[in-house]
Amino acid sequence: MSDLVFLPAHKLAKMIRDGKISAVALLEAHLDQINRYNPRLNAICTLDAEGARKQAQQADDALAKGENWGPLHGVPMTVKDIFETAGLQTTVGYPPLKDYVPKQDATVVARLRAAGAVIMGKSNLAELAADFQSTNSLFPRVNNPWNVDYTAGGSSGGSAAVVAAGLSPLEIGNDIAGSVRQPAHFCGVYGLKPTERRISTAGHIPETPGMPHCLRQMLTIGCFARSIEDLRLGFSLLAGADPRRPEIPPVPLDVPSDKELSELKIAWIYEWPEIPVAAEILAAMQTVVQTLTEAGAQTDQWSPGDFDLSEIWTLYGQMAAYLNNYAQPKDWYTIRRSLTLLYRTATQGDRNLRQLGNFAKFWPELLRPSLKGYFETLTERDNYIARLDAALEPWDVWLMPVAATAAFTHRPAWTVVEVNGKQYPHSIANGAYTIPFSLSGHPAVVIPVGQTSQGLPVGVQLVGKRWREMELLSIAQMLDQYIGECWQPPGY
């Protein structure tokens, strides 16, 4: 059954519809994979095996009556423990929520169920989704399926790990700084961060229950999969307006242009001048660009003339400070964690890089937030989005790294990461290539393209135009034929 659990979700759904396998048998294959490998990965923190068995049996009974629930009829999957699940524990790895059982599904969970998915349980994550590693105070840390001594990334490390290890064929996570893209890169799977406000965040934590809806900018909901086709499927099921979130616009899905490879104009950059990447990331990028060029695509090294990473980082930090001021709980436990984060980013790593990524400089926004300051920051962000929209207009996609390194060994939260012999602050090493597009709200796809000499996955990031996810996915699928490499981790 090991080959079965590594098939993509859309193929599994077809097998169920065609009667080649039952939903119950498919679920049992995944539960067996979970029982064998989750103890070493800790990727699933809450498993509802009996509830899933009832759902799978109901799916088989419905199909026998000629009923089809939707594109995921009978397909088992997990969801990140940041989305509320009716009747099933939802903790966000946060001790005060260890016994929290929601009464209503998050909108994205409800839409998956409506499409026929069988929800097996919840995937593990960074506490309150606030780290580039997936550790928290309730469950053991998430380990990378390629090497358990290495992190799976964060905050959606469990989401990426379950897909990579065959525990779930499809997953959803959130991304406000790279929480879909960095774990996909670290674990060797495909990941999609859609345009901001494309998918409803209703039922997403944080905000913690009872708090006002604060995360109205930058936060997106994305997908993890083992194929671009599954990203397209998952995205198309989740996207769309939601009465629970009136700010989600009723924008229809775009229609891809169906350009040929030779018609594509691909901008690329190997690394930001201020933030060089590890040698093996650079080599992978060079191979990808060379491969696409030789295949006939139009490729050019490019970045906008006014793309100032320091200004972008400062603007992102201001936005994050305003949003998290009221979205994060104010108990002493959380405050102590936040102070540790700020102290380490302000004191660890190369001095110049530390100055760029020092979140401690946003104390004014954290301690004395003002409505005027918030609106001024929003205005600056609007201007940045408009400039980037205009700059990207001539290009079909912008190709770049996902992070400065491949997966690194487990370490205390927010401590430094070594890149080419230099000490990088944690946020810079992990977020330098993702945060600019969280700030702008542009969609991005991660494609696995290779491995390091240590056998750790390497991915690349394709940034597209806002509200053009189907076009971006169409281009990604075309490029994937030349550069994509989604392997099964050895031993699984």
Side-chain angles (χ1 to χ4, degrees), residues 164-237:
L167 311 188
S168 175
L170 188 64
E171 249 275 3
I172 54 172
N174 65 322
D175 190 314
I176 197 171
S179 289
V180 167
R181 290 163 287 165
Q182 182 247 29
H185 160 58
F186 278 12
C187 292
V189 298
Y190 297 86
L192 168 68
K193 180 196 90 73
T195 304
E196 180 186 318
R197 297 189 182 179
R198 177 61 100 168
I199 297 175
S200 173
T201 61
H204 169 284
I205 307 172
E207 306 83 13
T208 52
M211 298 187 74
H213 175 35
C214 305
L215 296 175
R216 295 174 181 264
Q217 291 86 31
M218 303 198 300
L219 176 66
T220 57
I221 308 302
C223 307
F224 297 85
R226 290 191 291 271
S227 71
I228 298 291
E229 184 61 36
D230 277 1
L231 290 184
R232 183 185 290 108
L233 173 61
F235 168 70
S236 63
L237 294 173

Side-chain angles (χ1 to χ4, degrees), residues 12-168:
L12 294 174
K14 187 176 187 303
M15 290 174 66
I16 292 173
R17 288 194 301 270
D18 293 346
K20 294 181 178 179
I21 192 170
S22 69
V24 168
L26 183 59
L27 170 66
E28 292 301 332
H30 281 85
L31 291 177
D32 180 62
Q33 188 81 350
I34 290 167
N35 290 334
R36 292 177 66 188
Y37 297 111
N38 194 56
R40 65 195 285 192
L41 298 177
N42 307 313
I44 295 175
C45 55
T46 298
L47 183 64
D48 183 23
E50 291 311 307
R53 287 186 172 109
K54 291 178 183 178
Q55 296 173 56
Q57 186 61 61
Q58 290 168 355
D60 284 337
D61 293 344
L63 202 60
K65 298 175 185 176
E67 300 174 11
N68 187 341
W69 291 347
L72 291 175
H73 186 114
V75 176
M77 61 176 293
T78 54
V79 297
K80 185 177 179 180
D81 195 29
I82 202 167
F83 299 111
E84 293 186 325
T85 41
L88 185 62
Q89 181 185 41
T90 304
T91 73
V92 204
Y94 176 54
L97 293 181
K98 64 183 178 65
D99 298 318
Y100 176 58
V101 178
K103 296 180 179 179
Q104 183 179 11
D105 280 332
T107 294
V108 289
V109 175
R111 288 179 177 175
L112 290 171
R113 292 193 198 274
V118 172
I119 305 301
M120 298 183 290
K122 312 297 284 290
S123 56
N124 205 354
L125 72 168
E127 189 161 340
L128 287 170
D131 195 356
F132 286 109
Q133 297 181 94
S134 291
T135 60
N136 61 66
S137 301
L138 291 182
F139 306 108
R141 72 187 184 200
V142 180
N143 297 320
N144 194 309
W146 293 88
N147 187 328
V148 295
D149 293 328
Y150 287 72
T151 180
S155 65
S156 308
S159 301
V162 295
V163 173
L167 311 188
S168 175

